[in-house]
Amino acid sequence: EVSTDDPETAFCTLANREELNPEEGSIHHCLYQFTRNETLTETNKLLCDVCTQRHCGPKNNIKSEKKYVYTNAKKQMLISLAPPILTLHLKRFQHAGFNLRKVNRHIKFPEVIDLAPFCTAKCKNVAEGNTKVLYSLYGVVEHSGTMRSGHYTAYVKMRAMNSHLSDLVLRGQTQALETEPVKGQWFHISDHHVQPVSVSKVLSSQAYLLFYERLL
């Protein structure tokens, strides 16, 4: 099924992703890998309704004859609607034989992230002419321990309400683009213990969940 009127731009992004050159072990590299262009061939070929109809004739003959036609195809997962709130869930486990092992590797993540290289060229909720889709970090969930037991803590930024973000959520309206992170104070929360921390402490955490809000 073609999800765009122009198949030639189906794999085009809002910003040139080839200029990224993301550092391995960073959230940019994770997003780059997740949204990479894949070629489906051999056992991964795509069932093509158009090709099947050409080969078998009208649709009412397809099921009876069961002559389905599969074809090589390209696949790419991109963001078609820039959300007001961006939640990134990092996979913190890997298979080790029949067991699961926790991944403790530190993944670098920025205070401000640009999603434009991972968005479709005609991404919704992005004003025409904008080549940046910026988000500011406001929350991190961290897990310590193993797959069998552990403890969850959180980092949260206390900040002023973003009225422009409310306009986007309620009315779908976008404003002029800001490029600086939302000002505020970070706090580390562990059960009933709450204490202020620096942004460098937040960025060095072993993130499990990342929460960003759209900069408008």
Side-chain angles (χ1 to χ4, degrees):
E1 181 180 350
V2 178
S3 58
T4 176
D5 294 335
D6 185 4
E8 294 298 324
T9 62
F11 297 97
C12 294
T13 50
L14 199 59
N16 189 355
R17 61 189 280 116
E18 300 308 321
E19 295 179 356
L20 268 180
N21 192 24
E23 179 184 359
E24 189 173 351
S26 68
I27 198 68
H28 288 96
H29 188 261
C30 294
L31 287 168
Y32 186 87
Q33 290 294 101
F34 187 76
T35 59
R36 71 186 188 278
N37 194 321
E38 301 177 59
T39 302
L40 306 178
T41 59
E42 298 179 356
T43 57
N44 290 323
K45 284 184 178 181
L46 189 71
L47 172 60
C48 178
D49 290 336
V50 176
C51 302
T52 302
Q53 289 179 42
R54 287 175 184 167
H55 181 75
C56 302
K59 281 187 176 181
N60 56 0
N61 293 331
I62 294 177
K63 290 185 178 180
S64 59
E65 296 182 15
K66 293 185 179 179
K67 294 180 180 178
Y68 300 107
V69 177
Y70 293 81
T71 183
N72 294 336
K74 288 184 178 180
K75 170 190 171 185
Q76 187 173 26
M77 298 180 67
L78 295 172
I79 299 169
S80 62
L81 175 66
I85 300 298
L86 173 69
T87 304
L88 299 177
H89 183 183
L90 300 178
K91 183 179 177 181
R92 281 293 181 184
F93 66 90
Q94 64 182 12
H95 289 278
F98 294 101
N99 299 317
L100 290 176
R101 179 184 301 166
K102 185 183 174 186
V103 177
N104 290 310
R105 181 181 183 181
H106 174 67
I107 300 298
K108 295 182 181 179
F109 55 94
E111 197 174 359
V112 173
I113 190 170
D114 183 10
L115 276 193
F118 317 110
C119 294
T120 61
K122 297 181 180 180
C123 187
K124 301 173 184 177
N125 282 354
V126 176
E128 188 175 353
N130 280 355
T131 56
K132 290 183 179 294
V133 184
L134 301 179
Y135 287 81
S136 178
L137 184 71
Y138 75 89
V140 180
V141 173
E142 183 179 43
H143 178 267
S144 59
T146 66
M147 293 293 295
R148 293 183 177 274
S149 64
H151 182 58
Y152 289 96
T153 59
Y155 294 90
V156 179
K157 179 189 278 189
M158 189 176 74
R159 65 223 183 277
M161 184 182 73
N162 187 340
S163 58
H164 295 322
L165 192 63
S166 300
D167 290 337
L168 177 62
V169 173
L170 298 175
R171 291 179 283 277
Q173 298 174 349
T174 56
Q175 306 290 329
L177 191 67
E178 297 179 7
T179 58
E180 297 297 323
V182 178
K183 294 181 180 179
Q185 172 63 54
W186 282 97
F187 290 89
H188 182 232
I189 303 170
S190 178
D191 293 335
H192 59 280
H193 296 286
V194 180
Q195 61 180 358
V197 292
S198 65
V199 65
S200 60
K201 173 69 174 177
V202 176
L203 298 180
S204 64
S205 64
Q206 294 281 67
Y208 177 57
L209 289 169
L210 294 170
F211 299 90
Y212 287 87
E213 60 184 335
R214 182 95 173 266
L215 280 175
L216 295 169

mmCIF file of all heavy atoms in Angstrom, residues 43 47 94 139 148 150 164 180 209:
data_model
loop_
_atom_site.group_PDB
_atom_site.id
_atom_site.type_symbol
_atom_site.label_atom_id
_atom_site.label_comp_id
_atom_site.label_asym_id
_atom_site.label_seq_id
_atom_site.Cartn_x
_atom_site.Cartn_y
_atom_site.Cartn_z
ATOM 1 N N THR A 43 13.443 -14.540 1.330
ATOM 2 C CA THR A 43 12.310 -14.943 2.183
ATOM 3 C C THR A 43 11.597 -13.753 2.810
ATOM 4 O O THR A 43 10.539 -13.914 3.418
ATOM 5 C CB THR A 43 12.784 -15.885 3.303
ATOM 6 O OG1 THR A 43 13.810 -15.237 4.064
ATOM 7 C CG2 THR A 43 13.339 -17.177 2.718
ATOM 8 N N LEU A 47 4.513 -9.266 -0.173
ATOM 9 C CA LEU A 47 3.350 -9.691 -0.954
ATOM 10 C C LEU A 47 2.768 -8.471 -1.652
ATOM 11 O O LEU A 47 2.356 -7.508 -1.008
ATOM 12 C CB LEU A 47 2.303 -10.330 -0.043
ATOM 13 C CG LEU A 47 0.941 -10.650 -0.690
ATOM 14 C CD1 LEU A 47 1.118 -11.635 -1.844
ATOM 15 C CD2 LEU A 47 -0.023 -11.198 0.342
ATOM 16 N N GLN A 94 19.505 -8.309 26.550
ATOM 17 C CA GLN A 94 19.891 -9.087 25.375
ATOM 18 C C GLN A 94 19.817 -10.565 25.722
ATOM 19 O O GLN A 94 19.925 -10.960 26.892
ATOM 20 C CB GLN A 94 21.302 -8.717 24.915
ATOM 21 C CG GLN A 94 22.400 -9.044 25.909
ATOM 22 C CD GLN A 94 23.765 -8.620 25.412
ATOM 23 O OE1 GLN A 94 23.885 -7.896 24.428
ATOM 24 N NE2 GLN A 94 24.812 -9.057 26.106
ATOM 25 N N GLY A 139 12.916 14.590 31.486
ATOM 26 C CA GLY A 139 12.793 13.468 32.408
ATOM 27 C C GLY A 139 13.598 12.260 31.965
ATOM 28 O O GLY A 139 13.737 12.008 30.770
ATOM 29 N N ARG A 148 16.795 -9.720 37.392
ATOM 30 C CA ARG A 148 15.981 -10.376 38.422
ATOM 31 C C ARG A 148 15.527 -9.406 39.510
ATOM 32 O O ARG A 148 14.451 -9.563 40.094
ATOM 33 C CB ARG A 148 16.775 -11.527 39.059
ATOM 34 C CG ARG A 148 17.034 -12.672 38.101
ATOM 35 C CD ARG A 148 17.765 -13.813 38.794
ATOM 36 N NE ARG A 148 17.956 -14.949 37.883
ATOM 37 C CZ ARG A 148 17.073 -15.900 37.680
ATOM 38 N NH1 ARG A 148 15.925 -15.878 38.327
ATOM 39 N NH2 ARG A 148 17.320 -16.886 36.847
ATOM 40 N N GLY A 150 16.152 -5.076 41.121
ATOM 41 C CA GLY A 150 16.762 -3.776 40.903
ATOM 42 C C GLY A 150 15.906 -2.670 41.482
ATOM 43 O O GLY A 150 14.935 -2.910 42.217
ATOM 44 N N HIS A 164 3.050 27.272 24.509
ATOM 45 C CA HIS A 164 3.071 26.949 23.080
ATOM 46 C C HIS A 164 2.854 25.451 22.865
ATOM 47 O O HIS A 164 2.220 25.037 21.896
ATOM 48 C CB HIS A 164 4.401 27.371 22.450
ATOM 49 C CG HIS A 164 4.627 28.852 22.458
ATOM 50 N ND1 HIS A 164 3.608 29.754 22.236
ATOM 51 C CD2 HIS A 164 5.747 29.581 22.659
ATOM 52 C CE1 HIS A 164 4.098 30.984 22.293
ATOM 53 N NE2 HIS A 164 5.393 30.907 22.557
ATOM 54 N N GLU A 180 17.038 26.637 22.319
ATOM 55 C CA GLU A 180 17.680 26.428 23.609
ATOM 56 C C GLU A 180 16.832 25.507 24.477
ATOM 57 O O GLU A 180 15.602 25.510 24.384
ATOM 58 C CB GLU A 180 17.880 27.769 24.328
ATOM 59 C CG GLU A 180 18.811 28.723 23.602
ATOM 60 C CD GLU A 180 20.221 28.176 23.475
ATOM 61 O OE1 GLU A 180 20.684 27.518 24.439
ATOM 62 O OE2 GLU A 180 20.857 28.393 22.432
ATOM 63 N N LEU A 209 14.453 5.103 30.182
ATOM 64 C CA LEU A 209 13.415 5.865 29.489
ATOM 65 C C LEU A 209 13.852 7.318 29.421
ATOM 66 O O LEU A 209 14.357 7.863 30.410
ATOM 67 C CB LEU A 209 12.079 5.769 30.229
ATOM 68 C CG LEU A 209 11.343 4.425 30.199
ATOM 69 C CD1 LEU A 209 10.205 4.445 31.199
ATOM 70 C CD2 LEU A 209 10.804 4.145 28.814
#
